Amino acid sequence: MNTTHRTHHSAACGLTIATAMLAIISTHSAIAQSAAVPPSITSPDEVDTVIGSLKFTDGQPTEDTLEKVYDYVDFTHATRAFSDTLQGVSIHAIRKGLQEIGVKDNEVIVFSELMDANSLFLTANADTVYIIGGFDLSKGPVVIETPPQVLGTVQDAWFRWVIDVGLPGPDRGEGGKYLIVPPGYEGALPEGGFNVAFSKTTHGVWFARAFIENNNDPKPVVARIKELTKIYPYTPGSFGTPIAEFLDGKAPLGKITDPPATVFHEGSGKVMNTIPPNDWTYYEMLNEVIQQEPATSLDPELMGPIAAIGIVKGKPFTPDERMKKILTEALVVANAASRSIFMAPRDPSWYYYGGDSNWQNMLFATGYEFETPIPMITKDGVKPFPTTGYRQLDARRAFFYGVTGITPAMAMRLPGIGSTYLWTMVDSDKNYFDGSKTYKVTLPKDIPAGKFWSFTLYDTMTRSMLATPQRYPRAGSQSYPSPAATSASDGTTTLYFSPEQPEGVERGNWIQTLPGKGFFPALRLYSPLEPFFDKQWQPTEVELVK
């Protein structure tokens, strides 16, 4: 054999063997690497969880595990569909409640003798004359004309703020014309004469509160409301549109005519329910909202859980028996969670005075959009807080579980404008209120309310005014609809909450409670003043007397 060939052959054999050895080593290395799977990415063969024992075979879920997991997924979507949409069902419940007593959309209900406990409204008051109406923009923009000296707002179908009216709005309490424009509207709009606001939904609610003049007679205020409050369809190209717009082909030439008469209804003493349900009808009402409004009326992220449980615009809501069972159980849990967060908040920032004080209002910490705290008002002007970039979901959930309406006017530190609120769910010993017992609270002198102040008691179950023989469960500086509270010689004012009027206590300083019925008190300051905002003034805690 040729030596050179033998050498080349040996070299080739050596290379082949070396290559093979490298391949074997590489294979062993790959096997070793693949065997070292990080435990953090694996699923145990069996794990105990809150939804039971879950089993996997090399990561493959068993049939029993699949059933448990998908029940859990549907359950979480259902609870989110409650907590994230409570505000929309609340608006829908208001419209339905009004319709059930004959008040149609684009009509108005006026509580001429104030609202009382016959009407189930979330934390409404018995101090002001309420003007309320649902609106329907399906046929085009609607005009709402408001009278002078009211405090109000317009809310869309998801309880989002559209525009303020009255004192906090652009008319600044002088009365104004508001043009509410529906989503997707492409017609002509006026150049002037109206405060134009764009709604993201076709339906919604507007309401305003009027203050009683001379402290004891609502009749003049009601007369002014019925004379000057109007709601009617907008005619494109009419009032507010100059002729030049028509000549330029930008708008039709609409006639200026008197609007049709507004239909008014009386609300005082009427029995109605405007509170969102927490049984199966909740999903039915949610489905009605989804079907009535544009598919894009709510953020897709929030619409996701709703669609996941079978509520989709343009499709029937027909859950099977398995899904009905899950949805029903989810309602129980979601309602319990919402009620608990409202009744016993754990976030210390919700408590207005801090420390051991029980007086709370989450809006000072979250703002009206439940994101960024209310701006500070300083001698140099407004000092806003930086945007947090996240929604405080517990605050939004608790607020809409117990309150009707949201507007910047409810969440501002501007003295002399709007109104502000504090409430407490427990007494000074951190116990819930018992309607069979006697409590007292003292307001220091110089109560910081430019217009007036009041206390109202609410039923813990309904979050509406407490129904007692008094009819109006309130006390305050007004002498209507119950006598005004009187102050002591040192200027302080002490109020009592009890089933019977305490001996030696004036009628105006007492709000009746009911044995066996829980309640919670709320303090309102209308046109609050600086001592409230800088916390120089602070009510006592509500103390148990006996």
Side-chain angles (χ1 to χ4, degrees):
M1 180 181 293
N2 184 284
T3 304
T4 302
H5 174 75
R6 187 166 55 246
T7 301
H8 286 173
H9 176 74
S10 298
C13 287
L15 182 60
T16 301
I17 293 171
T19 301
M21 290 297 293
L22 286 173
I24 293 171
I25 292 170
S26 177
T27 300
H28 279 292
S29 178
I31 293 173
Q33 288 179 3
S34 64
V37 176
S40 61
I41 69 169
T42 65
S43 294
D45 292 340
E46 184 172 358
V47 59
D48 290 326
T49 73
V50 293
I51 62 173
S53 178
L54 305 181
K55 298 179 181 180
F56 298 86
T57 301
D58 194 24
Q60 301 165 331
T62 64
E63 286 297 321
D64 179 66
T65 293
L66 286 172
E67 182 177 338
K68 292 175 182 175
V69 166
Y70 278 118
D71 283 354
Y72 169 75
V73 169
D74 291 336
F75 183 86
T76 56
H77 286 321
T79 55
R80 278 201 60 188
F82 183 95
S83 63
D84 290 346
T85 65
L86 184 60
Q87 54 271 38
V89 176
S90 185
I91 278 280
H92 196 57
I94 293 173
R95 290 180 54 238
K96 286 179 74 73
L98 294 178
Q99 290 165 6
E100 287 172 359
I101 64 166
V103 185
K104 301 175 183 177
D105 283 337
N106 300 342
E107 296 180 351
V108 180
I109 187 170
V110 181
F111 291 80
S112 300
E113 297 179 2
L114 309 189
M115 193 180 294
D116 59 29
N118 283 307
S119 302
L120 295 178
F121 273 85
L122 293 174
T123 51
N125 70 68
D127 304 307
T128 59
V129 179
Y130 273 95
I131 318 162
I132 304 174
F135 62 80
D136 181 354
L137 308 176
S138 59
K139 296 180 180 179
V142 166
V143 177
I144 301 172
E145 293 190 19
T146 59
Q149 297 303 306
V150 299
L151 182 69
T153 188
V154 180
Q155 318 271 215
D156 77 4
W158 292 109
F159 236 136
R160 291 174 299 209
W161 176 70
V162 177
I163 192 171
D164 282 330
V165 303
L167 291 166
D171 74 83
R172 302 296 290 275
E174 296 298 314
K177 297 175 184 285
Y178 292 82
L179 181 62
I180 313 303
V181 182
Y185 178 76
E186 296 180 352
L189 290 174
E191 280 197 355
F194 295 94
N195 299 299
V196 180
F198 295 85
S199 173
K200 295 180 180 179
T201 62
T202 306
H203 302 86
V205 168
W206 72 277
F207 61 87
R209 293 162 291 168
F211 303 120
I212 298 174
E213 296 174 349
N214 302 322
N215 218 16
N216 59 7
D217 187 4
K219 291 185 181 64
V221 176
V222 172
R224 184 170 66 229
I225 288 170
K226 291 184 177 180
E227 177 188 0
L228 300 176
T229 302
K230 299 176 183 178
I231 180 167
Y232 53 89
Y234 168 68
T235 301
S238 60
F239 174 79
T241 300
I243 297 296
E245 289 285 292
F246 166 70
L247 296 176
D248 287 342
K250 297 178 181 179
L253 187 60
K255 292 183 179 180
I256 298 180
T257 58
D258 290 334
T262 299
V263 177
F264 289 95
H265 299 261
E266 178 54 55
S268 294
K270 290 286 181 67
V271 176
M272 69 185 81
N273 175 29
T274 69
I275 299 176
N278 48 262
D279 61 8
W280 181 259
T281 57
Y282 183 92
Y283 293 119
E284 294 174 344
M285 290 180 67
L286 176 59
N287 184 52
E288 290 173 1
V289 178
I290 295 298
Q291 302 308 326
Q292 288 182 0
E293 300 305 330
T296 57
S297 68
L298 197 63
D299 185 279
E301 195 75 19
L302 294 177
M303 201 70 87
I306 304 172
I309 63 172
I311 298 178
V312 178
K313 186 172 178 64
K315 296 183 179 180
F317 176 48
T318 56
D320 57 23
E321 289 305 312
R322 167 190 165 275
M323 198 63 178
K324 282 185 178 179
K325 181 176 183 295
I326 291 172
L327 293 177
T328 301
E329 291 176 350
L331 272 174
V332 174
V333 174
N335 177 67
S338 300
R339 180 175 288 277
S340 297
I341 296 170
F342 176 65
M343 290 293 302
R346 61 183 179 179
D347 189 331
S349 70
W350 295 12
Y351 293 90
Y352 187 65
Y353 296 106
D356 290 330
S357 176
N358 300 307
W359 294 108
Q360 59 170 292
N361 183 337
M362 73 285 286
L363 295 185
F364 287 98
T366 70
Y368 79 99
E369 291 188 319
F370 308 99
E371 179 185 359
T372 302
I374 297 173
M376 300 297 293
I377 307 297
T378 69
K379 294 179 180 179
D380 299 322
V382 179
K383 181 182 178 182
F385 288 92
T387 302
T388 62
Y390 59 86
R391 191 89 61 206
Q392 297 190 47
L393 299 179
D394 282 356
R396 183 181 68 183
R397 185 175 189 170
F399 183 86
F400 285 112
Y401 193 79
V403 182
T404 296
I406 187 67
T407 158
M410 296 175 69
M412 60 183 180
R413 292 185 170 94
L414 191 60
I417 297 179
S419 55
T420 196
Y421 319 86
L422 291 178
W423 59 88
T424 178
M425 299 298 181
V426 294
D427 65 18
S428 58
D429 295 320
K430 310 293 185 185
N431 295 317
Y432 292 128
F433 294 105
D434 181 342
S436 66
K437 298 179 179 179
T438 298
Y439 301 87
K440 71 174 182 178
V441 59
T442 298
L443 306 181
K445 66 177 182 178
D446 300 326
I447 299 171
K451 288 190 178 294
F452 65 94
W453 62 269
S454 76
F455 260 99
T456 307
L457 297 190
Y458 295 100
D459 183 326
T460 52
M461 183 62 74
T462 66
R463 293 91 74 203
S464 299
M465 282 189 274
L466 186 66
T468 72
Q470 278 186 331
R471 185 181 177 187
Y472 300 103
R474 52 84 60 191
S477 56
Q478 283 189 166
S479 58
Y480 184 93
S482 55
T486 57
S487 302
S489 58
D490 62 358
T492 63
T493 305
T494 301
L495 303 179
Y496 289 81
F497 314 140
S498 60
E500 301 292 338
Q501 186 173 344
E503 185 177 352
V505 173
E506 298 285 343
R507 168 63 184 85
N509 293 62
W510 168 61
I511 308 178
Q512 189 173 26
T513 60
L514 287 175
K517 171 55 65 178
F519 68 90
F520 63 92
L523 169 64
R524 283 179 170 82
L525 302 175
Y526 291 92
S527 296
L529 304 177
E530 185 61 31
F532 172 78
F533 295 114
D534 64 18
K535 303 181 183 178
Q536 293 181 20
W537 183 91
Q538 178 178 344
T540 68
E541 300 302 298
V542 182
E543 301 174 3
L544 175 64
V545 176
K546 62 178 180 177

